[in-house]
Amino acid sequence: MRPPLGGGRTRKMSNNYNDIPFGIRIVQKLSRQCCPRLHARRDLLYKVSIFVLTFLAYACYHMCRKPISVVKSVLQGNCSSAQAAQLHEGQDCGYAPFDGPDATKLFGMLDSAFLFTYAIAMFASGFVAERVSLRYFLSMGMILTGVFTYMFGIARTSNIHSLWYFILIQICAGIFQTTGWPGVVTLVGRWFGRSKRGLIFGIWNSHTSIGNILGTLIAAHYVETDWAMSFVVPGIIIGAIGFLLFLFLVDQPEIVGCYPDSVPHERRVTNDSDEEQDDEEQVRHNAAEISYRSAPTERTPILPSSHSQSHQREHGSGRPISLIDALYIPGVVEFSLCLFFTKLVSYTFMYWLPLYIQSSSTLGPTLSADLSTLFDVGGIFGAIAAGYISDLTGMSATICTGMLFIASPILLMYQQYGALSVSISVLLLIVVGIFVNGPYALITTSVSAELGQHSSLEGNANALATVTAIIDGTGSIGAAVGPLLAGLISTTGWQNVFHMLIIADIIAMLLLGRLVVKEFASLRRSPTRIRIE
């Protein structure tokens, strides 16, 4: 029998005032002096700040991934002689080395350089995230992501045409973008309890679609005049938001005396501006943290609770777990493999949809990019719906399977009828976005957080980043494979790309079969599990 995964030393809680970010210290002083009532509600304010900061952070990460999909249409040399003669000064008809007949192959190399690096580095990133301050981890990752996004754009102004320059930039960007997902999911998991987690994560996960939309709109604004700015502007924005996180992100609730889901406790409200006030409160509330870590919680049917509360109290936060230990958590392997194929479909749309719309219609690069954002609009609705239904039923695997089942015929319908008119394309893109991104969003957020706090971890709060990295890292390999296959298969016809995506959805659905059976078996034993609130 394997030993408990969450064993080890209890991590000492920090009561050091210097651990509090500089911006938060200023806010604490101002709230105590100017608004005592606001200071008394600081638990809620901290949660709101975490929600907003992590939302902005990951929206920026996705914003920096989108420009390449928009700019592809102007980098490749697809102008006729007459069109080239009509271009204004400063405009391009392709950009070397992407202006030749092998442009599709080169774009596939760029996408693969980023996505495979991202997938491999994700596993290491989750390992590191559990052992360092997430404030430094995220702010550094965002600033360096901004630097390499900016460097891709200045290739035009610096007249750089080396393919290896672009590949190297994509590799570096892929490495530092991996700081995002383990960091933000771990933070939200620490600060928000299990109550209505699916709905909270569903709303919060719209940052992915919002980031894609913003990245697309910014890139589309500049793509036909100066494509370099399509990268420069997102690079500057993510760097600025990264610095904002450095100033205001509280990566541990205990640092500021907050304990999510703990029992109500007395709080002192005072106008005293002494900095040591917060330290005293942190010491007073350490007992509440122990109760929070060991309190019994509701589990989904695929995650049965099997260990005593007393053992959880003994281990407390615990030590970070290994990748091998994380794979033994029930459901991690199935959801990881499912995400491989689900993310394959989502990222193929993310990287190739603007070019597909342009090639299958008479729309130009800007309008094609704008129209492609509707896929992400549908993704917002899909993520919220999947999370809400998951809260009602606790049947995450069944929800994912149902949405994947519907996604397959919808993909075929879009391929067959999406080019008939703009109105049909708008409707189908939104519906495709709902059913393709819904399972992807649910697995990467609510399911990952639940598995990262599984009962077999003995209350170990340090496993969340590792579990998240395994699930998203496996999915990211699929995200790398999808665009690469799309680039190769598209030369034989776009209909074959859609057939590949449909097959991927069917495989993803089948991989969750065992968990779906377990959920329905649990439902028969406890029919009250499905509830309406």
Side-chain angles (χ1 to χ4, degrees):
M1 180 179 297
R2 293 182 58 83
L5 301 183
R9 299 185 306 272
T10 301
R11 183 178 57 186
K12 183 180 179 180
M13 298 177 193
S14 172
N15 290 322
N16 188 354
Y17 180 79
N18 293 325
D19 290 340
I20 302 176
F22 178 75
I24 294 297
R25 293 187 218 170
I26 296 176
V27 172
Q28 285 178 339
K29 290 181 179 180
L30 292 177
S31 64
R32 282 196 300 267
Q33 295 172 357
C34 304
C35 190
R37 290 186 179 180
L38 188 64
H39 182 65
R41 299 296 304 276
R42 63 188 181 281
D43 284 26
L44 176 61
L45 294 178
Y46 284 129
K47 283 188 176 183
V48 171
S49 71
I50 291 295
F51 189 96
V52 172
L53 289 174
T54 54
F55 186 99
L56 290 175
Y58 209 69
C60 287
Y61 278 107
H62 266 261
M63 177 183 65
C64 290
R65 297 179 196 178
K66 281 298 290 183
I68 184 65
S69 67
V70 176
V71 173
K72 283 176 181 176
S73 59
V74 297
L75 290 180
Q76 66 180 12
N78 58 354
C79 301
S80 65
S81 300
Q83 288 174 318
Q86 294 175 356
L87 289 176
H88 298 292
E89 184 179 354
Q91 290 183 294
D92 297 318
C93 183
Y95 187 84
F98 308 105
D99 56 350
D102 60 345
T104 302
K105 177 183 176 181
L106 298 183
F107 289 144
M109 292 175 65
L110 286 186
D111 293 343
S112 297
F114 174 85
L115 291 169
F116 277 110
T117 302
Y118 180 89
I120 295 170
M122 178 62 75
F123 295 98
S125 185
F127 181 85
V128 174
E130 288 183 352
R131 292 159 172 82
V132 299
S133 166
L134 291 180
R135 179 164 68 97
Y136 293 103
F137 185 71
L138 277 171
S139 57
M140 179 204 70
M142 293 179 70
I143 291 171
L144 290 174
T145 295
V147 168
F148 288 107
T149 304
Y150 181 90
M151 290 178 67
F152 195 108
I154 63 171
R156 182 180 186 273
T157 57
S158 302
N159 202 30
I160 298 174
H161 296 276
S162 170
L163 176 64
W164 289 107
Y165 172 85
F166 293 104
I167 290 177
L168 181 61
I169 292 298
Q170 290 291 83
I171 289 174
C172 293
I175 292 172
F176 290 108
Q177 284 241 8
T178 60
T179 58
W181 196 240
V184 296
V185 172
T186 301
L187 283 167
V188 176
R190 287 176 181 175
W191 276 93
F192 292 87
R194 292 176 176 83
S195 176
K196 299 188 182 298
R197 169 176 279 171
L199 179 60
I200 291 172
F201 267 123
I203 297 172
W204 175 78
N205 193 66
S206 63
H207 53 46
T208 299
S209 297
I210 296 295
N212 289 340
I213 292 170
L214 288 175
T216 301
L217 294 178
I218 291 172
H221 180 74
Y222 295 106
V223 65
E224 295 186 77
T225 56
D226 183 4
W227 63 261
M229 296 301 293
S230 298
F231 294 91
V232 170
V233 173
I236 293 174
I237 292 174
I238 192 173
I241 298 298
F243 183 68
L244 187 69
L245 260 68
F246 176 76
L247 293 178
F248 292 98
L249 184 68
V250 181
D251 59 3
Q252 287 281 0
E254 297 86 358
I255 292 176
V256 289
C258 295
Y259 302 93
D261 282 3
S262 63
V263 294
H265 51 271
E266 293 184 0
R267 296 186 182 277
R268 290 187 300 174
V269 180
T270 176
N271 290 328
D272 185 5
S273 62
D274 189 356
E275 294 176 350
E276 295 178 357
Q277 168 79 22
D278 295 283
D279 293 334
E280 295 171 2
E281 291 194 50
Q282 292 161 17
V283 174
R284 290 194 308 111
H285 299 320
N286 278 349
E289 169 64 8
I290 296 174
S291 299
Y292 159 64
R293 297 297 184 190
S294 59
T297 55
E298 186 176 47
R299 301 284 179 178
T300 60
I302 63 168
L303 305 174
S305 178
S306 60
H307 295 280
S308 68
Q309 298 175 37
S310 61
H311 206 75
Q312 291 179 8
R313 282 192 292 268
E314 176 186 346
H315 290 287
S317 296
R319 61 175 173 81
I321 67 171
S322 68
L323 295 175
I324 300 300
D325 283 340
L327 291 176
Y328 280 88
I329 300 172
V332 166
V333 173
E334 289 90 342
F335 277 114
S336 296
L337 293 176
C338 176
L339 188 63
F340 175 95
F341 292 98
T342 305
K343 208 167 181 180
L344 182 153
V345 177
S346 181
Y347 268 63
T348 299
F349 269 87
M350 177 178 171
Y351 276 84
W352 288 99
L353 185 56
L355 188 59
Y356 167 73
I357 293 174
Q358 184 180 349
S359 64
S360 62
S361 66
T362 58
L363 301 178
T366 300
L367 291 177
S368 297
D370 291 342
L371 184 61
S372 72
T373 61
L374 294 171
F375 174 75
D376 293 297
V377 172
I380 296 174
F381 293 111
I384 295 174
Y388 179 67
I389 298 173
S390 176
D391 281 338
L392 293 179
T393 64
M395 303 175 71
S396 302
T398 303
I399 295 165
C400 291
T401 300
M403 298 186 84
L404 290 168
F405 180 80
I406 298 174
S408 298
I410 295 297
L411 284 170
L412 186 60
M413 289 178 61
Y414 176 68
Q415 188 268 320
Q416 293 287 334
Y417 306 110
L420 292 180
S421 70
V422 173
S423 58
I424 294 176
S425 182
V426 167
L427 176 63
L428 289 177
L429 272 176
I430 293 175
V431 177
V432 168
I434 290 173
F435 291 101
V436 167
N437 285 330
Y440 162 38
L442 184 62
I443 294 172
T444 55
T445 54
S446 181
V447 170
S448 293
E450 186 70 24
L451 293 173
Q453 296 172 324
H454 186 251
S455 58
S456 63
L457 295 169
E458 302 290 359
N460 183 356
N462 284 337
L464 188 52
T466 296
V467 172
T468 299
I470 288 175
I471 294 176
D472 197 55
T474 305
S476 296
I477 297 175
V481 171
L484 177 62
L485 289 178
L488 297 174
I489 297 174
S490 62
T491 58
T492 65
W494 282 103
Q495 72 277 5
N496 294 327
V497 175
F498 279 89
H499 294 161
M500 181 262 292
L501 299 180
I502 291 170
I503 292 172
D505 264 340
I506 293 173
I507 295 174
M509 180 177 62
L510 295 176
L511 285 168
L512 295 180
R514 186 180 70 87
L515 299 182
V516 171
V517 172
K518 291 184 68 175
E519 287 182 345
F520 275 98
S522 178
L523 180 62
R524 286 195 295 271
R525 292 193 301 268
S526 179
T528 59
R529 179 68 185 90
I530 297 182
R531 62 196 187 281
I532 303 296
E533 296 179 346

